[in-house]
Amino acid sequence: MSLSDRRHLLALILALPLAGCGFSPVYAPGAPANALAGRIEADAPNSRDSFIFVTEFETRMGRPEAPAYRLTYQIATQRYDLAVTTEGAILRYNLTGQITWSLIDIATGARLTGGTASSFTGSAATTSTVAAQTAEDNARRRLMQILATQIVTKITATAGDWGAS
């Protein structure tokens, strides 16, 4: 058996359990997640982190054109010193973030789904103030991207459960 034949056989074997559990792509034609594009309006940002989060969320879900759902959220972040020299100089920071969110049906006011997304990123500390601030800004952007992706994944994966239409 050639190597390419083995790969096809392996791919087929790995795909069988997915076929048996009713697996279907989130954005397949007729899938509930398709109805969400441009239909979720996030609360207006009130901080730099929330602005980045909403921008990342809209990048993934589309700008709201005819919103049927509203995303409410609360963002909490904290910075921790990770690497400190014996002289007290900080070499690395860890930035943790958590977003508690809910998806609300605008017409009824009912909470459809929600949860908490959390993650962390790190950044290096340097002796240059500008470089240190840039590193922290980049870490915050990465953190908000991760959290937005987690929330979009949860919303699209469960769209059929709460009746996205």
Side-chain angles (χ1 to χ4, degrees), residues 9-159:
L9 180 61
L10 181 60
L12 180 62
I13 290 170
L14 291 175
L16 283 176
L18 294 177
C21 73
F23 170 78
S24 65
V26 170
Y27 294 111
N34 279 336
L36 298 176
R39 308 257 343 260
I40 301 175
E41 182 174 41
D43 284 347
N46 59 7
S47 68
R48 187 173 186 170
D49 285 343
S50 63
F51 178 80
I52 296 168
F53 168 72
V54 169
T55 300
E56 294 298 329
F57 182 82
E58 288 179 353
T59 297
R60 288 158 179 75
M61 295 300 295
R63 299 235 353 141
E65 297 167 8
Y69 310 103
R70 183 170 61 94
L71 179 73
T72 64
Y73 58 90
Q74 294 83 37
I75 300 174
T77 60
Q78 191 161 1
R79 190 176 87 170
Y80 296 97
D81 302 342
L82 281 185
V84 181
T85 66
T86 55
E87 293 83 30
I90 300 166
L91 301 176
R92 188 151 183 83
Y93 296 105
N94 205 22
L95 183 65
T96 63
Q98 182 174 352
I99 299 180
T100 304
W101 61 277
S102 293
L103 189 67
I104 310 295
D105 185 320
I106 291 175
T108 65
R111 181 182 183 270
L112 303 172
T113 188
T116 301
S118 60
S119 192
F120 70 94
T121 58
S123 67
T126 65
T127 56
S128 166
T129 306
V130 173
Q133 186 60 50
T134 300
E136 185 173 342
D137 290 348
N138 287 337
R140 284 187 179 280
R141 177 169 297 283
R142 288 191 315 272
L143 181 61
M144 292 303 120
Q145 288 171 340
I146 292 166
L147 296 173
T149 300
Q150 286 181 11
I151 292 170
V152 166
T153 300
K154 175 74 173 185
I155 289 171
T156 56
T158 62

